[in-house]
Amino acid sequence: MNLSTALPTFVITLREGVEAALVVGIVLAFLKKAKQSRLNFWVYAGVAVGIFVSALIGVLFTWLIKILGSINPQYTSVVEPILEGVFSILAILMLSWMLIWMTKQARFMKAQVEVAVTEALTQNSNAGWGVFTLVLVAVIREGFETVLFVAANFQQGLLPSLGAISGLGIAATIGVLLFKWGVKINIRQFFQVMGILLVLIVAGLVVSALQSFDEATANLALSSRSSENLCFYYEHFTKVHSCILGPMVWNTAKILPDEHFPGIILRSLFGYRDKLYIVQAVGYLGFLLSIGGLYFRSIMGGKTPSQKRFPLAQK
């Protein structure tokens, strides 16, 4: 059993889950302060339904991938890697947007959530539904990004899902520690560390996405017997090549194979490959320099020492 495949989804769900837990905690704390604890049921209902809907979306994605892959069995080896590549691209876009946008908006999260709850409470007859909708959207938003990542790695079986469940459980525990027991946790530092891990994980997803498209193109070339037309790099270019990824940059299969420890951990978390091609290397470095650079600039803006602890449990 390759437990390393659960690590990336564990990190992503932990990060996303803590963010959702912060929203839930802020809502509960604000309701308590406003003496509206009777609406707590709607908060918990929003969490439960949000988790259920996120899981349902994941099941539907998996079902869709299998259905599309089995429509024409002759091209299953082409359709599946294409779908894996497409979901990888979607996951890259969503996670990159979350990294940059949420880093800039995190300092305003408490105020924004409290304004939204205040607006919901002004609608006396529909206050419960307003609170429910606020929490539901927050949970689904975080869950959807994880679902996309799991869908992009659907060939790895149930282990990514188990990693997601574990991350969700620890995120819930952190939420309880913050708001129920008043434990002081440096949330800003937590998100910075998780953000750095996510930058590396998503950069690895770029490598995986490119490999999926290369695999799909190579399989299509074999099935149509037109590899010279479909594959950019053919034998007259270089002896060691891929279909569309160009010549090989390195081959460390004998030194650090990516199917065995510790290479398999590096592969799961950071996209390490014992055989890396030039287009993958350019994509990886391009992501780190662009999205990674934007993220590092956003977190290097800094705060004053008095702002370093996220004052969520108290007003």
Side-chain angles (χ1 to χ4, degrees):
M1 182 179 292
N2 181 13
L3 293 177
S4 63
T5 58
L7 290 176
T9 47
F10 170 79
V11 172
I12 289 174
T13 310
L14 177 60
R15 199 271 180 206
E16 301 296 291
V18 168
E19 190 172 308
L22 293 180
V23 173
V24 172
I26 292 169
V27 173
L28 290 173
F30 188 80
L31 289 177
K32 182 178 180 180
K33 182 180 179 181
K35 298 181 180 180
Q36 295 291 330
S37 296
R38 60 184 178 83
L39 297 176
N40 285 0
F41 165 79
W42 294 95
V43 177
Y44 299 131
V47 172
V49 175
I51 293 174
F52 174 78
V53 171
S54 297
L56 181 61
I57 292 173
V59 171
L60 290 176
F61 274 170
T62 304
W63 176 78
L64 176 64
I65 291 170
K66 290 182 178 179
I67 292 296
L68 292 177
S70 61
I71 290 177
N72 192 335
Q74 179 184 355
Y75 291 103
T76 298
S77 62
V78 176
V79 174
E80 287 193 350
I82 285 179
L83 289 174
E84 187 174 344
V86 169
F87 280 115
S88 294
I89 295 298
L90 292 175
I92 290 167
L93 293 175
M94 289 288 292
L95 290 169
S96 298
W97 172 83
M98 177 271 294
L99 274 171
I100 304 303
W101 188 84
M102 281 308 302
T103 300
K104 295 180 179 179
Q105 296 297 318
R107 68 190 65 184
F108 309 115
M109 181 188 293
K110 186 170 185 283
Q112 290 172 343
V113 173
E114 289 184 349
V115 168
V117 176
T118 301
E119 291 178 355
L121 292 179
T122 59
Q123 304 170 2
N124 296 324
S125 59
N126 297 315
W129 285 108
V131 171
F132 171 83
T133 303
L134 171 65
V135 174
L136 177 66
V137 170
V139 174
I140 292 179
R141 182 185 64 199
E142 311 305 335
F144 184 67
E145 291 165 354
T146 305
V147 165
L148 279 178
F149 187 88
V150 173
N153 296 275
F154 73 98
Q155 290 182 334
Q156 296 178 359
L158 292 175
L159 285 176
S161 299
L162 293 177
I165 293 172
S166 300
L168 186 63
I170 294 181
T173 302
I174 291 176
V176 171
L177 289 174
L178 281 171
F179 297 101
K180 195 71 175 177
W181 294 343
V183 176
K184 298 294 183 181
I185 298 175
N186 194 322
I187 292 297
R188 179 172 178 265
Q189 194 173 69
F190 170 84
F191 277 127
Q192 285 181 350
V193 172
M194 289 293 103
I196 292 170
L197 284 176
L198 275 182
V199 167
L200 295 172
I201 288 173
V202 179
L205 196 58
V206 172
V207 174
S208 300
L210 291 170
Q211 185 167 323
S212 295
F213 288 123
D214 179 73
E215 180 184 345
T217 307
N219 290 338
L220 182 60
L222 288 174
S223 63
S224 61
R225 297 180 181 179
S226 58
S227 54
E228 287 193 51
N229 296 326
L230 292 175
C231 293
F232 179 80
Y233 267 84
Y234 201 55
E235 291 180 0
H236 55 271
F237 279 95
T238 176
K239 292 182 179 179
V240 181
H241 60 84
S242 68
C243 184
I244 60 174
L245 299 179
M248 187 178 292
V249 175
W250 74 49
N251 185 347
T252 55
K254 293 183 179 180
I255 302 173
L256 187 63
D258 59 18
E259 295 295 334
H260 303 285
F261 182 85
I264 196 168
I265 301 294
L266 298 176
R267 176 188 176 116
S268 297
L269 278 177
F270 310 126
Y272 166 77
R273 294 291 188 278
D274 52 23
K275 297 182 179 67
L276 189 73
Y277 298 90
I278 190 168
V279 174
Q280 289 175 308
V282 170
Y284 187 89
L285 292 176
F287 181 88
L288 288 181
L289 292 174
S290 58
I291 302 300
L294 287 173
Y295 175 72
F296 279 109
R297 279 197 294 272
S298 66
I299 65 175
M300 291 302 287
K303 291 184 178 182
T304 61
S306 61
Q307 292 176 304
K308 286 187 178 180
R309 294 193 181 277
F310 209 94
L312 294 173
Q314 53 188 353
K315 179 75 174 175

